[in-house]
Amino acid sequence: MVAIYARQSIDKKDSISIETQINFCKRELADNQDYRVFQDKGFSGKNTSRPAFKEMLEAIKNGNIEKIIVYRLDRISRSITDFANIFDLLEEQKVDFVSANEKFDTSTPVGKAMLYIIMVFAQLERETIAERIKDNYYSRGKNGVWLGGPPPLGFNNIKKSHFGKTVALLEPNQDVAIVQTIFKKYANSNCSLGSLAKELLLEHGGMWNNIKLARILHNPAYVKADADIYHFYQFKKCILVNDIDDFDGKKGCSLYGKRDRGANKYNALEEQVLAIALHEGIVDSQTWLRCQDKLSNNRQIKNTGKGKHSWLSGLIKCGYCGYSMNVKVYNQYKYLVCTGRFSTGNCIDKLATHYLEDIESYVFQEMCSFVENIDVEQVNAPKDSLSDKNGLKIELHKLESEIEKLLDTLDASNPVLMKYINEKIVSLDAKKSAILEELNTCTVSTYKLDIPDLSNWSESSLEIKKDAAQRLISKVLLLNDKIEVVWKA
């Protein structure tokens, strides 16, 4: 029996239908020759995992097929390796192969030779097309174009003219405020992804979960990329398309490229490419980076800040080992115990007993003093100050790069040249010190500090007190001789 095999990936105007393929193949049949049609519709030729094709192979192995007729060679496979394996089976079962369109028959020596030549060129064509598509994809990415797929929450995918070409890019929509709230709350509070998802569900409805929030918070499309973002991705060993000068704190980023499926997609970025995008960022770099730090260091925040005994729950840490302090109740007294006391051994016989009432009283007085003395105008600095600070960081990066290059040349230099190189290094180091001093005296904060009202503290509920503490305090460190409050500003 003769097998006629036909395959079509998708219906397109310029593609030949399965019915047409079968009619072409029937012309190769002898009069009244017995045949059976095997057809796969909607299956690619990149592999051989196709139901009708597998059925045909079984028939061949059972000795029921003496010849295969196809419209073209690539109907079987576009991979020369796959076809070579199939052809070994055909030769083993003494099954001839005929291509109706390419006019060759493997029952003849010339036909067999033609088969191998055509397969080599078919594979070359396939790989050339794939390489061209890949090059075009990376080229568009380097130009900051949106590379396709659903746009991130807060953006629409639009077509716009850019340097005479119509390109795809992102444009903010009405959901930007939700995205900015997600970043602000996650960065400036002790909330977990789970608790934030529940809060968003109550406020906005829809579908919210840890995975969706993690995807949003990791996405560099949102960040206003500045020098700090450049260094963040440089440390992650990303391929950086743009020079640091392009990281001006205005545009978002595009991250794309090959990724190891078995690796952590948010941390294994060695082969990923980062480019400055065409759209404006919507989250400042410091808020975005605080979110990355929290995602990295606190992947499992179980019940942080959920304690019912104190408004400082989740904020109090041991000053010796860094572990959280738990509230224990004995009779009417509440005292604090280090959770790392027995797991690390660092705190045994070191940390004295601290009573919760004393800690809360001290921290509240510190909060009042902090709120009273903070310079709100300085904390909520104007944007041009942030731009100046970013410019200093870019200049600092260039100086450090230049010094590093000069240091690399010292070993191979003669004594005379070394003298001038050293003088240049000293000069550059002096400039570097001046920039560092200017950066250190710059007290600009890149986020708006949300200062709570502490006037009715004694009448406030536990939840209101917790919210106020989490807005202002990063952590409270307990040591035997002192209590150190670390502020968020």
Side-chain angles (χ1 to χ4, degrees), residues 189-207:
S189 73
N190 286 327
C191 70
S192 65
L193 291 175
S195 63
L196 183 54
K198 290 177 184 177
E199 187 177 336
L200 290 166
L201 182 63
L202 291 172
E203 290 182 6
H204 304 286
M207 294 292 293

Side-chain angles (χ1 to χ4, degrees), residues 146 152 155 170 216 218-224 233 251-255 274 277 279-283 288:
W146 177 245
F155 289 106
L170 300 178
I216 290 170
H218 277 108
N219 197 337
Y222 297 115
V223 70
K224 298 177 181 179
Y233 279 104
K251 298 291 186 181
C253 292
S254 177
L255 183 67
L274 185 85
H279 67 273
E280 300 286 328
I282 60 172
V283 177
W288 191 89

Side-chain angles (χ1 to χ4, degrees), residues 179-180 182-184 186-188 213-226 228-233 236 252-253 255 266 269 274 281-296 446-447:
V179 175
Q180 291 171 328
I182 289 171
F183 275 93
K184 181 181 177 182
Y186 191 72
N188 299 323
L213 287 176
R215 189 183 301 118
I216 290 170
L217 291 165
H218 277 108
N219 197 337
Y222 297 115
V223 70
K224 298 177 181 179
D226 60 10
D228 292 329
I229 300 301
Y230 177 92
H231 289 124
F232 174 82
Y233 279 104
K236 292 283 186 180
C253 292
L255 183 67
Y266 298 126
L269 304 179
L274 185 85
I282 60 172
V283 177
D284 68 79
S285 65
Q286 296 310 304
T287 299
W288 191 89
L289 287 170
R290 281 199 301 278
C291 289
Q292 307 318 300
D293 183 60
K294 187 173 176 180
L295 288 165
S296 176
T446 60
Y447 68 98

Side-chain angles (χ1 to χ4, degrees), residues 106-126:
T106 59
S107 61
T108 67
V110 173
K112 190 178 291 188
M114 283 294 296
L115 171 67
Y116 285 118
I117 293 170
I118 290 171
M119 276 303 299
V120 168
F121 280 100
Q123 178 79 355
L124 176 63
E125 181 184 17
R126 179 171 177 267

